[in-house]
Amino acid sequence: MNTHTKGNEKISFKEKMGFGFGDLAVNFSWASLGMFIVYFYTDVIGLGAGIVGTIMLFSRVLDGFSDIAMGAVVDKTNTKYGKARPWILWLAIPFSVLTVALFAVPDISYTWKIVYVIVSYNLLVLSFTSVVIPYGTLNTLITQDKPQREVLNLYRMFFAQIGVLIVTNLTMPLVDQFGGGQSGWVLTYAIFATIAALLFFTTFKTTKERVKPVKVEQNKKIKLKDSLKTLSKNKYWVIVFGYFIVFSIGDGLRQGSTVYYADNILDMPGLVGALTIAFTVPVIVGFFALPVIFSKFGKRNAIIAGSFISILGCLFVLIEPGSVWVVVISQIIRGIGSVPLIGALWALLPDTIEYGEWKTGIRNEGVLYSGGSMGQKIGIGIGTASVGWVLAIGGYNGVLDVQPDSAIDSIYAVFVYLPIVVYLLQIILMYFYKLDKFYHKVASDLEVRKQS
């Protein structure tokens, strides 16, 4: 299906900022789920690490399948605000309210606490689906120009990292400021959630959808089953989907294990913010070099190189695992390696969308883009659950002042060894990704079809 738009119109700085604010809003909640939620449930609420891990995996994998359905809903949406923007407007407040509810576990029996966690967590991830799928799809609807899309993606990932920095560095101090305990967590996230809602409203207000089908009625005739069939014909989307899962497993491991490593290995729980800064600042600075890196080496080669650097960062910890400075330097190295890994994450999907249209004649960005979120959720679910499971296998108990040696070994496993496996899997996946080599032909052929 051809498209015609003002799709190559130059995007203003204001719109780029507004688009980036959307991922800043997302990470006021998303960064929490990766960094603090397992710790909150085990050390504040007192739930078992194994139970929490199982809830995380089940909920994320189950919700991942709802991403495809939401992608189809976005493809069918047709309002005066466009296809994606209205969902950002409609879900801003529910998403924020449910973020706070996640931490407002009532003082009830252990079993009913588990029930509350299951219900509140699943409601949040469903609302997350309903806002993040449209938000992700918005990139492909603002412009068809590949360089501008990549710039939009960099704004998105830049502000996502800012969100991570804010949450990881302000959460514990704010919790303490509000008196500590569960009430401190609730008040802290009430502030974060309010800011998130305002940021979503800003994204809605400042962005514009320009890319539209030539024949809107033709777009409506594409059934979900036909749209799903195109996925199997788009081998590069399949590879990128796998990359989303593997990358997100690593992200879940890194975020979920950092607070345990700081607390139990370095004996400095407040250091989690500094460790996150050590990782995130190189990522943010490195983003400014990504357009040149991607242009010269391609996203595939950059990801492979970044994975190797990240492996070196993991191994660096083993020089002196209990040294704060060794761990900080290790985080810096991993941050440098992660620049192309994070920067290319959402930039790969638009390329596969164009390839899918070139290959099948069907443009279904909502469904294809939802695959990224689905892969991300499945991966984060596996990564976060792995933290809980491995800690449980090692005998970790959040109420103990001193953990057994087996629990300490399990913390090393989730912080050092399992991430290395993840980076190796990323290298293998990207070895088979060849789209960078002939994307220019895909784009030029689509342009010819558009003119015909």
Side-chain angles (χ1 to χ4, degrees), residues 416-436:
V416 179
Y417 300 116
L418 289 180
I420 291 175
V421 176
V422 168
Y423 294 130
L424 290 173
L425 290 174
Q426 289 175 179
I427 293 170
I428 294 172
L429 279 171
M430 283 297 108
Y431 175 80
F432 296 100
Y433 185 84
K434 313 291 185 182
L435 184 54
D436 282 352

Side-chain angles (χ1 to χ4, degrees), residues 30-283:
W30 188 257
S32 314
L33 302 190
M35 184 68 69
F36 291 115
I37 198 63
V38 175
Y39 179 81
F40 173 78
Y41 285 147
T42 59
D43 288 45
V44 179
I45 301 302
L47 300 183
I51 292 174
V52 174
T54 301
I55 293 172
M56 299 294 104
L57 179 61
F58 176 79
S59 300
R60 292 291 182 89
V61 172
L62 181 64
D63 183 56
F65 289 99
S66 70
D67 289 350
I68 299 296
M70 189 62 204
V73 169
V74 172
D75 282 335
K76 300 294 183 181
T77 301
N78 183 22
T79 74
K80 65 179 181 179
Y81 300 122
K83 298 168 63 174
R85 292 173 61 247
W87 291 100
I88 298 173
L89 175 66
W90 298 333
L91 270 297
I93 291 179
F95 177 79
S96 299
V97 170
L98 289 169
T99 296
V100 180
L102 199 68
F103 295 90
V105 181
D107 185 14
I108 48 182
S109 70
Y110 188 86
T111 299
W112 281 106
K113 283 183 180 179
I114 293 174
V115 172
Y116 179 89
V117 168
I118 292 173
V119 173
S120 61
Y121 188 82
N122 279 280
L123 286 175
L124 176 64
V125 293
L126 283 173
S127 71
F128 176 82
T129 295
S130 300
V131 70
V132 82
I133 294 299
Y135 173 69
T137 306
L138 184 59
N139 186 321
T140 68
L141 297 171
I142 290 176
T143 179
Q144 283 184 301
D145 183 67
K146 185 171 181 285
Q148 290 199 88
R149 278 182 177 172
E150 291 180 349
V151 170
L152 281 171
N153 180 70
L154 292 179
Y155 272 82
R156 171 183 184 172
M157 300 313 296
F158 174 84
F159 281 107
Q161 298 307 307
I162 295 297
V164 171
L165 279 178
I166 291 172
V167 170
T168 54
N169 283 278
L170 291 186
T171 296
M172 300 304 283
L174 283 175
V175 169
D176 291 339
Q177 183 66 32
F178 290 129
Q182 184 181 356
S183 61
W185 288 86
V186 172
L187 290 172
T188 296
Y189 276 88
I191 295 174
F192 288 163
T194 301
I195 297 172
L198 294 174
L199 289 167
F200 276 133
F201 291 141
T202 302
T203 298
F204 169 80
K205 185 70 175 178
T206 57
T207 55
K208 179 180 179 182
E209 296 184 20
R210 297 172 180 82
V211 180
K212 302 182 186 300
V214 171
K215 297 180 180 179
V216 175
E217 65 275 14
Q218 180 182 356
N219 189 47
K220 290 183 178 179
K221 291 179 181 178
I222 301 175
K223 297 179 180 179
L224 176 59
K225 65 177 182 178
D226 296 327
S227 189
L228 292 175
K229 285 180 181 178
T230 66
L231 301 183
S232 62
K233 299 177 182 178
N234 191 334
K235 62 181 179 181
Y236 294 114
W237 179 89
V238 173
I239 292 173
V240 170
F241 176 67
Y243 175 72
F244 262 85
I245 293 177
V246 173
F247 171 87
S248 299
I249 290 173
D251 206 33
L253 287 168
R254 179 184 59 80
Q255 291 190 16
S257 64
T258 300
V259 63
Y260 290 102
Y261 198 92
D263 190 7
N264 296 277
I265 307 299
L266 302 177
D267 198 27
M268 299 176 65
L271 196 65
V272 63
L275 294 179
T276 304
I277 289 175
F279 176 88
T280 306
V281 170
V283 173

